[in-house]
Amino acid sequence: MTIQFKDESFRGDFTYANSPSNIPRFPFPFPEDEYMYSTNIEPHHAARAGSPFENAFDVDEHYVAEMKDRALVLADDPGRCQALPHMETAGWDFLELVMVSKARDYPDLFKLTMDGDRWHWINKPLQIDDTFTFGDSSTLPCHPMEYIGRQVQGDHAILDQRDGNLWMDAGIITAQADWSLDFDIGMNFFEWHAPVPLAHELGVFQRALKFLLTLPQGQPSRRLNWTLTVNPRLDTSPENYPKWGPDRMTVTPENIGEKVHLRVELQTFWRLPRSNAILFPIRTYLMAMNEVVTQPKWGRRLHRVMRDLRPELVDYKGLSRYHPILVEWLSQFDDGAPTSPGIFPD
Amino acid sequence: MSASDHLIPVVVSNVVEVNPIIKRFEFKHVNGDELPAFSGGAHIVVEMLDDGTKRKNPYSLMSSPFERDQYAISVRRDDTGRGGSKFMHEQVRPGMQMKISAPVNLFALDLRARKHLMIAGGIGITPFIAQMAQADKLGVPFELHYAARSVSQAAYMDSLADRFGDHVSCYCDDQGESVDLETLLSNQPLGTHVYVCGPKGMIERVVQTATSLGWPAAHVHFEHFLAPPVGEPFEVHLAKAGIDITVGAEQSLLEAVEASGTPINCMCRGGACGQCETVVVACDGEIMHNDHWLDEEQRAAKQRIMPCVSRFRGKRLELDL
């Protein structure tokens, strides 16, 4: 299958949209009609052909445009890509994992030829054709994490493991839901999660950390997380809050279907072999409310989830200003019929 | 889900008698594929099919992390143990097919270290052989202090001294030599991390000396030998499965649960990683907690057990499995 890459923007005129054929493969994050935190981690096995869970690193029609947006963010603010000095080996692990996976899963788009440590990498969609020495950063134009991070959709944090904890010691983060690598760099698992409400009391982070510390090589895991974003903007960083914060004032009952986007993160967890670090890809999918409700099951369920969402979460996810309008608007798509289990459309 | 569910089929490519009590085993992938990359300090779990009994023992990888065509482990023969090392020494021959887990590292180098100071006792040398290859390649200063009972038992001492020269200091008990920990740990540059692997007493001495000299705890790393102990047979009731099982003298509780077909998580099989932590539903007797995972309070409460290494003596043990 050849993917038609779209020419679109995530800022300014916001021309981003999903093709009709791309809508059903959206990773809708609600398996039930109500939402509460859980440590909803499952093995990142290949699942359901055509879904975003089919391949290790999903490539879709937004790939090229997302990489252009990342380049714009990095040009503006190089601090979005940082690696502490001991994270170079982990950068190479990350590069290897992405190249090997993409060349295997998308042979018509990516090609990797290895002759010992001499590697030849071809990325057709981004027109890259490079030869370098694996493990020798002087043979790349930049840090291995940045090199590959500019060629893979989603933000990527790399967590060093030591002292029974995980440490946010490297990352390339340009499409984040309101968190800052520059603020979090060097923090441990509990420190960077400190602002999350409710979950600490539920013991979610203790359990998640225990799980991650023993994550085995070759057995990646995944979970979905979600929020809402006004306009299809990838870069909703604290650094740029003045640019996107006021967007929330612009939501009206008339424009809510096109303005408000369900923002889903497909988070995966990978043990890296040489560094013993954990790679944490946070792949963001955006879908306008008008696109979500084309799937009747999703329209019904999203109404129920939003209507019953706990106030702490409405506040934490930054939805307070337009939450009532949204629930009202979604109610027209909920006829009260039961919904089938699981996230996939009927 | 557990690490040992995803085993790699290998063929024993070489068996070398290093000295009268230690043999080295080398493994290659049955298809000739590359084996997974790993980091120094990692171990694999080796599955042994010994006359109807399935045993899985963890062993540190000693081969270079940069060589993926084969893995090497060294096994010290322990005739009073559960029989795993005896099986390896007596039954395993070149050409035999076996299964191993992917590497797991619970004893990794801290890559922030300005210098790695390694202290090995006996067979505890094996993880350091891989770590030295890693530190050498990364260009980070390191020093190994390796103590053995006697010259004849000092596996790899000569070859390591040849290979790494001044980085290696050797001590043999029968020559009256020993590591002067106080002096060694008093004279390290800032940013040094110390690692110790060896007998329990040695680990305790290193940790105590470092602590009393003011070393930050985060700079002191240790790995206990990972071997489930033998003991008396005992009965266990698995509440969810609704069955009673017997744990044999030379079997671990984890192995007995697995043999019954009851699902259980696990990874290191040596009491260190915490994956197999199991809720105790009822306990009338004494749990022999042999793990390094539960704290004193949890042990005393008798509400948790680590089935990979811990055992039971008493009237009734019921687990939430």
Side-chain angles (χ1 to χ4, degrees):
Chain A
M1 186 193 72
T2 310
I3 303 169
Q4 293 295 319
F5 296 108
K6 300 187 69 172
D7 182 12
E8 59 192 355
S9 62
F10 300 87
R11 54 181 71 208
D13 54 359
F14 294 111
T15 58
Y16 171 91
N18 288 289
S19 305
S21 62
N22 204 51
I23 291 176
R25 76 188 298 282
F26 182 71
F28 188 75
F30 305 110
E32 303 166 334
D33 287 356
E34 61 183 325
Y35 171 77
M36 190 47 203
Y37 286 129
S38 60
T39 320
N40 53 336
I41 301 178
E42 62 179 353
H44 187 40
H45 292 158
R48 196 153 166 136
S51 81
F53 314 117
E54 183 181 4
N55 294 314
F57 293 87
D58 183 40
V59 176
D60 68 10
E61 61 180 2
H62 308 299
Y63 175 51
V64 174
E66 282 187 40
M67 294 302 97
K68 281 184 186 157
D69 195 70
R70 166 153 302 154
L72 291 174
V73 174
L74 290 174
D76 239 23
D77 182 1
R80 301 296 191 87
C81 178
Q82 297 189 41
L84 297 184
H86 60 284
M87 297 302 280
E88 192 166 307
T89 300
W92 284 106
D93 276 334
F94 170 32
L95 175 145
E96 176 190 44
L97 178 62
V98 172
M99 288 188 179
V100 169
S101 302
K102 286 194 165 188
R104 178 195 61 219
D105 296 339
Y106 301 94
D108 51 335
L109 301 178
F110 306 96
K111 189 170 176 216
L112 178 64
T113 315
M114 299 187 219
D115 177 13
D117 287 342
R118 203 67 192 149
W119 289 23
H120 180 201
W121 168 245
I122 298 174
N123 178 335
K124 288 182 193 163
L126 297 183
Q127 297 172 308
I128 291 168
D129 183 329
D130 283 335
T131 302
F132 58 90
T133 304
F134 185 84
D136 180 354
S137 293
S138 71
T139 62
L140 286 178
C142 55
H143 194 282
M145 177 187 71
E146 179 178 348
Y147 179 80
I148 199 64
R150 286 175 178 269
Q151 301 182 48
V152 58
Q153 285 168 278
D155 284 347
H156 290 81
I158 309 183
L159 317 176
D160 193 28
Q161 178 162 336
R162 52 177 198 269
D163 311 332
N165 212 322
L166 294 170
W167 305 81
M168 178 81 70
D169 285 350
I172 175 163
I173 310 292
T174 66
Q176 66 266 52
D178 204 8
W179 69 280
S180 167
L181 175 69
D182 200 35
F183 185 73
D184 286 356
I185 191 119
M187 286 190 186
N188 72 36
F189 192 77
F190 297 110
E191 290 167 345
W192 84 69
H193 281 122
V196 183
L198 302 174
H200 292 273
E201 293 79 352
L202 295 170
V204 168
F205 293 122
Q206 284 288 355
R207 284 198 298 277
L209 177 63
K210 183 182 161 189
F211 174 83
L212 291 172
L213 289 174
T214 55
L215 183 71
Q217 224 187 103
Q219 295 175 55
S221 293
R222 65 172 170 246
R223 69 182 287 262
L224 295 175
N225 194 19
W226 68 276
T227 188
L228 300 179
T229 299
V230 179
N231 294 327
R233 190 191 294 272
L234 282 174
D235 176 16
T236 50
S237 56
E239 286 87 346
N240 276 338
Y241 184 78
K243 294 184 186 166
W244 58 269
D247 288 354
R248 290 183 284 197
M249 317 274 281
T250 64
V251 177
T252 66
E254 291 70 40
N255 68 15
I256 196 163
E258 61 188 87
K259 276 256 174 205
V260 173
H261 287 69
L262 184 53
R263 180 186 192 109
V264 175
E265 294 175 351
L266 169 55
Q267 304 179 346
T268 52
F269 307 91
W270 306 77
R271 171 71 62 194
L272 297 176
R274 296 173 187 79
S275 57
N276 202 40
I278 286 181
L279 176 69
F280 178 36
I282 308 160
R283 168 66 183 279
T284 292
Y285 295 82
L286 289 166
M287 185 159 287
M289 287 295 139
N290 281 340
E291 294 169 344
V292 174
V293 300
T294 60
Q295 311 300 312
K297 170 179 167 181
W298 291 354
R300 290 184 185 108
R301 180 168 292 167
L302 191 58
H303 170 248
R304 295 167 199 178
V305 167
M306 289 299 151
R307 181 191 62 201
D308 303 334
L309 196 61
R310 292 176 60 159
E312 296 95 327
L313 293 177
V314 172
D315 182 51
Y316 171 66
K317 290 183 183 284
L319 322 180
S320 307
R321 212 167 262 285
Y322 55 84
H323 180 254
I325 315 177
L326 178 65
V327 173
E328 175 60 27
W329 185 81
L330 284 169
S331 68
Q332 65 185 303
F333 303 99
D334 187 359
D335 55 8
T339 53
S340 59
I343 65 172
F344 295 106
D346 290 327
Chain B
M1 186 63 52
S2 77
S4 41
D5 289 342
H6 295 246
L7 296 178
I8 302 166
V10 292
V11 60
V12 179
S13 52
N14 201 4
V15 179
V16 178
E17 191 167 319
V18 179
N19 65 34
I21 55 165
I22 294 175
K23 278 188 176 179
R24 181 172 74 245
F25 300 87
E26 295 170 4
F27 303 109
K28 291 189 172 181
H29 196 286
V30 284
N31 302 331
D33 295 351
E34 281 199 319
L35 292 162
F38 66 98
S39 48
H43 69 262
I44 54 171
V45 172
V46 177
E47 182 183 88
M48 303 168 211
L49 301 175
D50 182 8
D51 198 22
T53 304
K54 190 188 277 185
R55 264 193 214 91
K56 293 178 179 175
N57 278 10
Y59 295 104
S60 295
L61 286 169
M62 57 174 286
S63 41
S64 165
F66 305 99
E67 284 167 19
R68 292 175 55 187
D69 57 330
Q70 66 170 27
Y71 285 164
I73 61 170
S74 281
V75 179
R76 183 187 195 280
R77 184 178 175 126
D78 178 4
D79 288 325
T80 62
R82 304 180 315 127
S85 66
K86 209 171 154 202
F87 174 84
M88 291 297 291
H89 273 251
E90 290 177 357
Q91 308 288 328
V92 175
R93 305 260 183 276
M96 233 170 102
Q97 294 204 3
M98 299 183 82
K99 285 181 178 166
I100 62 172
S101 73
V104 170
N105 201 340
L106 301 173
F107 187 54
L109 292 175
D110 189 318
L111 298 177
R112 299 170 308 163
R114 303 292 172 88
K115 174 182 173 184
H116 302 293
L117 177 64
M118 306 165 182
I119 303 175
I123 192 67
I125 186 64
T126 52
F128 293 125
I129 300 177
Q131 288 184 336
M132 284 191 286
Q134 185 182 349
D136 193 39
K137 175 118 175 204
L138 293 173
V140 181
F142 66 93
E143 219 175 277
L144 170 75
H145 296 263
Y146 175 19
R149 265 186 216 153
S150 64
V151 177
S152 66
Q153 289 192 16
Y156 310 111
M157 208 174 248
D158 291 344
S159 63
L160 289 172
D162 286 349
R163 192 165 146 207
F164 295 111
D166 290 350
H167 296 290
V168 176
S169 303
C170 301
Y171 311 82
C172 289
D173 294 355
D174 67 345
Q175 308 287 304
E177 299 160 339
S178 63
V179 191
D180 178 356
L181 288 176
E182 188 90 18
T183 306
L184 182 65
L185 293 170
S186 301
N187 290 290
Q188 296 301 326
L190 276 179
T192 303
H193 282 246
V194 62
Y195 308 82
V196 55
C197 182
K200 202 172 163 206
M202 179 189 226
I203 294 173
E204 283 168 3
R205 281 196 301 282
V206 170
V207 173
Q208 276 166 15
T209 308
T211 306
S212 68
L213 289 170
W215 281 62
H219 285 227
V220 181
H221 312 268
F222 47 89
E223 178 158 68
H224 291 278
F225 282 162
L226 302 159
V230 295
E232 296 295 313
F234 59 98
E235 304 280 324
V236 184
H237 180 70
L238 306 183
K240 282 184 196 153
I243 54 172
D244 292 297
I245 59 169
T246 303
V247 182
E250 294 179 343
Q251 195 180 25
S252 71
L253 170 52
L254 174 64
E255 286 167 347
V257 171
E258 287 174 333
S260 76
T262 309
I264 181 165
N265 285 328
C266 69
M267 194 169 77
C268 77
R269 310 183 80 88
C273 79
Q275 274 286 302
C276 69
E277 182 176 331
T278 298
V279 171
V280 174
V281 180
C283 173
D284 181 4
E286 183 200 350
I287 297 174
M288 284 91 99
H289 292 287
N290 296 311
D291 59 278
H292 313 297
W293 178 257
L294 299 176
D295 61 29
E296 286 308 319
E297 207 174 303
Q298 288 172 309
R299 286 164 193 237
K302 295 189 192 177
Q303 288 167 359
R304 306 271 159 163
I305 187 171
M306 310 306 294
C308 61
V309 290
S310 297
R311 304 184 71 86
F312 174 74
R313 186 188 305 141
K315 282 190 181 148
R316 183 170 176 81
L317 178 66
E318 194 175 326
L319 301 179
D320 186 30
L321 287 171

